[in-house]
Each structure stands twice: as C-alpha cells, then as structure tokens.
Amino acid sequence: MAVSPSSSPTATRKRPARKVSPTGSWTRALAEPAREFAPTAIETIAGMLPTGLRGALYRNGPARLQRGDRWVGHWFDGDGAVLRVNFDGRDARAVYRFVQTEAYRRDAASETWTQGSYGMKAPQATLTQPVRQRLRHPANTSVLALPDRVLALWEQGHPYVLDPETLETKGRDSLSLADGQPYAAHYKRDPETGEIFNFGVTYGLRTCLNVYCSDRQGRIDRQSKIPLSGLPLIHDCLLAGPYLVFFVAPVRLDLLPVLTNQICFGDALRWKPQFGTQILVLDRETLTVISRGETDPFYSWHFGNGYVDAEGNIVGDMVRYNDFATNRYLQQVGQLDPHTEARGTLWQFRLDPQTGAMLGSVELADTCGEFPIVAPSCVGRYARRTYMSAFRPGSDVARDLWSTIACFDRDTGELTVAELGAHRYAIEPTYAPDADRPDLGWLLTVVYDSREHRSEVWIYAADRLGDAPVCRLSLPEVIPMGYHGCWAPNPKKCG
Ligand SMILES: [Fe+2]
C-alpha cells in the first residue's frame, strides 16, 4: 500500500523532470521519486526465513532526485528515505518513509530545490554564510539504531530522529553538540563496550576534525577537536583495537568560489596529489593524536575494518581509488548517465601506530566494489570475511552500477561473488548475526530487478555467498539503490 506524506503532494503543478530509463537498466529505480509504504507484512517468494534471524534491517539512501522540473546536481543531493524490515523468526514486515527534514518539507511546499547542496549552488548566499548553511540536509547517508530511537545520518549536520518502528520523523537531535559540529555518517561501534565512535569536519577559516565517543545509548561522553590543514574531505574512519585511524586524502575544498556562490561544494573539491595522503592515528580513549604519517596519494570513501596484529601494527582494509574521479562518476549516477571510469578495489594496508608510517599495502582483489563491511562482532578486531557491493563480472565500470555482493575470505584469499542473475542490482550488504547461533550470520541485501521493476530482500548464509539465497521476500514498492544501513538485533523469540 502506497501512502503519500501530507507535506509531499504527488501531483505537482510544475512539469516533473524525466530521464530516459530503459527496461533492464538500473536507472529505472532512480528515475522517479520512490513511493513510501505503511507497515506491511511481506511475502516470502522463495526459500524460508531463518528462525534465528530476529531484529530489524534499516537502510537509507536518496530516493527523490527531482523536484518539479529540476533534477539534482549529484546523487548525494537526493532526499533520504529509510526502509525498515523487521524479522521475528517467522514473519517479516516492512515500512518505507522519507525523512521529513526541514528542507524536505520546504521543498515539497515550493515544488523545487530551495537550498544549495553538495551538487547544487545555493539560490542565494551571502559571503559570510558558513559552508554548512549552504548545504541542504538530505538525511540520506546512513542509519544508527539506538535503544530508543533511530538516527538518519548525513555528513554535515546533526541527525534526524525516527521512530524505530514507524519511521515517523521526530525532529532533529543535536546530541548536545554545537551547531557547527556535524555528526557524520560513518560511526564505528565497539562490539564489547557498545561505545560509538564518530566524527565531523567543521569547514571554515579554522577547519577541524571533531571526534566523538558515545555510550551505547548515544550519549556523547567525550570529544576532541583536531586542527586540519586545508579543507579536506573525510568520509569514513577506522577502529582498530585501541586506535582510531583517519586517512586524509589529497582532496581539498576550494573555499572562495563556494563562498562567492560561483560553484557548488562538490565541484569545488580539487584533487591535489602533491599533498599525498595524510594519516592520523588517534588513541580511542583520549581521542588525541598519537602519530601522523603520509603515504601515496589515493582516495577512499570507505573502510571495511581494522585490527591490531601480533606485532602491534594496525591492519586495515578499504576500497581504494587512484584519484577522485569517483566523485564525477557518482555525480553522473545522480544524472542517470554515468560515463566516468573510477575503479575502486579492495586493498589491505599495514601501518605502525606509533610513527604513522605505512608499512605496506596490497590489492586483495581486482573486482571493482564499494561499501565494504564486516560482521558487527568483528569491528575493530580481526575479521575473516569482508563483504561489499561489487560490479558483476563483465560490467562496464564507467556506465554500470554495483550490481551484486561479494565476500573476500582472508583464510583462503578468495573473492566469492553472488550470482543474482542479469538485470538485477544489489545494494550494500548488511550482516545480521543469528540470534540463536553465535557462529552463524546472515547477509541481507535489497535487490532491484530492473526488468520486473520491483525490489526484493535477499538473505544469504554469510559463509556461503556462492550458494543461492536462503530466502527471498517481495517488497511492495521499488527501493532505489542507496548507501548505508545497519542491523538492530532483537534476541526475543516470537510466539
Ligand atoms: Fe559512505
């Protein structure tokens, strides 16, 4: 059942923007605004639900790329919508809602984009307006499930609070942070202590990296502020035993043309390979810098995981690009017309935490991928398997989108790619531990079938990605491919 939010009329007076989206292409999923749906029982169409799969999957991503006759400038600009799929060991129910941000309500009423964003210039801006105020908050990047609420996260602002069951938007949550202290989208949760580490970059004359640590309830109990040189883009970090690690890629914001509103934020990010990639190693207790290092220029949006090896060195993995062409590719994805090759592959590195010196790095697999994750119980410690989105073998990396999921096994050195079939596209996998068997886990992804123009939830045994999914469930509406999600466990048995 589709529902329309009261503040988002589906019939606009302005002519809706249209993009060509042929049958069989992933672009169909993004070509029109997604349709919300109320909490709905969803049907198993193949296999059986594992009885130990109990909890909720949350997924976030841009689900509206047009307002009236205007299209977004970049995939990052689209309005966030969150999917929740709840499993009780017997049945599954799903709900899908846009995050009702202030910008969403205002733009829905105006039937256009009324504010600047990552990929769009502000309609009007004054020279003294801070960078963050030039960017509309799309709440579209990730989700953090806390015991009493769910947070829809974005990179440059405070999160929005959602009801964990209905996904109703409850307003913004500052987390007791100052207005200029953003709470970014790539938190790391320690599986034993429940601590949540996160960060946010404040741009301006004194650009700095804010680092936060919260308890398991989400209360920030310590924070630090680290001055940064230039205006870099930092999207993710790494928890590795007692350390937090930041890689500062040689991307710098050219501030003046943004302040004078000549170009948008995303177009003002410059690739400066002469700066190399800076490394910051922090003590996770004090959140202060232990060491700084420098290595070759490369770009990475996402880390998989990190741990400390027997020699006391940090070992981590990431999807690594040779340059920042990935930004152009993602901009073109938002236009439904990518044509820039940006090859991101899974790499492993080793570095000395006391000196920040890079000791070595190696490409683990040459299949292009993104969104690497590990089982939540392994965050910050050794993980045998890293899962990620991947391009189907034979894909045109410049024009296609991630279409399958893959698993790299450190014990065997092999990459297993799931076979979804032609014209299907999977999003970032989410790991769900089995509630009854700690040695088991399930890998969940949302698959878009571009010929049938519908979405399904697929569930794999996490250690058998080469086998068919153990269960497939039909969703009532298309869920556009998005970014990040999480799993909120519920160990209670049904009935
Ligand atoms: Fe991300």
Side-chain angles (χ1 to χ4, degrees), residues 270-319:
R270 313 289 188 208
W271 177 245
K272 306 262 189 184
Q274 66 272 24
F275 292 157
T277 299
Q278 310 297 316
I279 302 167
L280 298 174
V281 180
L282 275 62
D283 180 319
R284 64 176 262 175
E285 293 303 322
T286 63
L287 307 182
T288 55
V289 176
I290 295 173
S291 63
R292 294 174 186 267
E294 184 180 332
T295 187
D296 302 339
F298 60 82
Y299 188 75
S300 174
W301 295 108
H302 299 119
F303 295 99
N305 190 40
Y307 67 96
V308 175
D309 68 11
E311 285 78 46
N313 294 313
I314 295 171
V315 181
D317 59 11
M318 67 171 84
V319 169

Side-chain angles (χ1 to χ4, degrees), residues 12-19 64-72 110-113:
T12 58
R13 288 188 298 277
K14 292 186 179 178
R15 182 176 57 84
R18 286 278 181 267
K19 295 275 184 183
R64 171 184 276 274
L65 302 180
Q66 64 187 84
R67 283 281 179 199
D69 59 355
R70 290 189 60 205
W71 206 265
V72 293
S110 304
E111 300 174 19
T112 190
W113 309 107

Side-chain angles (χ1 to χ4, degrees), residues 297-360:
F298 60 82
Y299 188 75
S300 174
W301 295 108
H302 299 119
F303 295 99
N305 190 40
Y307 67 96
V308 175
D309 68 11
E311 285 78 46
N313 294 313
I314 295 171
V315 181
D317 59 11
M318 67 171 84
V319 169
R320 171 178 162 152
Y321 299 85
N322 285 335
D323 56 28
F324 197 47
T326 172
N327 189 49
R328 182 65 58 200
Y329 166 78
L330 295 171
Q331 186 254 338
Q332 293 163 352
V333 168
Q335 302 292 322
L336 313 191
D337 182 27
H339 48 274
T340 298
E341 183 168 294
R343 300 183 63 81
T345 55
L346 190 66
W347 284 65
Q348 178 171 287
F349 63 86
R350 199 160 57 92
L351 69 90
D352 181 339
Q354 301 309 319
T355 64
M358 188 70 102
L359 303 174

Side-chain angles (χ1 to χ4, degrees), residues 74-389:
H74 196 289
W75 193 23
F76 294 172
D77 298 339
D79 285 314
V82 175
L83 171 72
R84 175 187 194 252
V85 185
N86 188 66
F87 303 88
D88 65 6
R90 191 168 53 196
D91 299 307
R93 291 177 65 81
V95 55
Y96 187 53
R97 297 289 304 266
F98 277 96
V99 185
Q100 300 267 321
T101 65
E102 292 146 49
Y104 180 91
R105 290 172 180 272
R106 186 175 56 241
D107 292 356
S110 304
E111 300 174 19
T112 190
W113 309 107
T114 59
Q115 199 177 350
S117 61
Y118 186 93
M120 295 186 286
K121 283 197 305 178
Q124 58 222 352
T126 59
L127 195 62
T128 55
Q129 190 176 29
V131 170
R132 69 179 183 282
Q133 290 180 8
R134 295 161 188 263
L135 305 174
R136 82 189 282 282
H137 191 325
N140 66 5
T141 313
S142 188
V143 190
L144 171 58
L146 295 170
D148 61 344
R149 63 200 193 281
V150 165
L151 302 181
L153 303 172
W154 174 59
E155 190 145 304
Q156 267 297 305
H158 295 158
Y160 276 84
V161 182
L162 309 180
D163 180 286
E165 292 193 4
T166 67
L167 302 182
E168 178 191 355
T169 304
K170 301 287 193 179
R172 219 190 286 213
D173 186 346
S174 75
L175 300 162
S176 301
L177 296 172
D179 189 38
Q181 286 184 291
Y183 192 81
H186 280 287
Y187 60 88
K188 305 294 168 193
R189 273 186 129 141
D190 184 289
E192 276 189 18
T193 67
E195 290 171 302
I196 303 166
F197 296 90
N198 201 357
F199 67 96
V201 175
T202 301
Y203 291 101
L205 294 176
R206 284 189 288 275
T207 295
C208 66
L209 174 67
N210 304 278
V211 187
Y212 317 116
C213 181
S214 316
D215 64 15
R216 63 178 73 239
Q217 313 294 325
R219 289 183 293 254
I220 294 175
D221 56 22
R222 58 187 190 274
Q223 58 179 289
S224 68
K225 198 178 286 286
I226 297 163
L228 293 172
S229 172
L231 292 88
L233 183 68
I234 303 176
H235 184 70
D236 195 1
C237 67
L238 193 73
L239 180 64
Y243 307 110
L244 279 170
V245 184
F246 292 86
F247 280 73
V248 184
V251 171
R252 297 291 183 274
L253 182 72
D254 194 359
L255 188 60
L256 189 59
V258 175
L259 293 180
T260 54
N261 208 27
Q262 294 174 54
I263 55 176
C264 64
F265 183 96
D267 286 347
L269 292 168
R270 313 289 188 208
W271 177 245
K272 306 262 189 184
Q274 66 272 24
F275 292 157
T277 299
Q278 310 297 316
I279 302 167
L280 298 174
V281 180
L282 275 62
D283 180 319
R284 64 176 262 175
E285 293 303 322
T286 63
L287 307 182
T288 55
V289 176
I290 295 173
S291 63
R292 294 174 186 267
E294 184 180 332
T295 187
D296 302 339
F298 60 82
Y299 188 75
S300 174
W301 295 108
H302 299 119
F303 295 99
N305 190 40
Y307 67 96
V308 175
D309 68 11
E311 285 78 46
N313 294 313
I314 295 171
V315 181
D317 59 11
M318 67 171 84
V319 169
R320 171 178 162 152
Y321 299 85
N322 285 335
D323 56 28
F324 197 47
T326 172
N327 189 49
R328 182 65 58 200
Y329 166 78
L330 295 171
Q331 186 254 338
Q332 293 163 352
V333 168
Q335 302 292 322
L336 313 191
D337 182 27
H339 48 274
T340 298
E341 183 168 294
R343 300 183 63 81
T345 55
L346 190 66
W347 284 65
Q348 178 171 287
F349 63 86
R350 199 160 57 92
L351 69 90
D352 181 339
Q354 301 309 319
T355 64
M358 188 70 102
L359 303 174
S361 59
V362 61
E363 187 180 56
L364 296 176
D366 62 4
T367 297
C368 289
E370 252 302 351
F371 310 121
I373 62 127
V374 297
S377 61
C378 297
V379 171
R381 57 210 69 197
Y382 177 81
R384 175 176 171 182
R385 297 181 177 91
T386 296
Y387 306 94
M388 63 178 186
S389 297

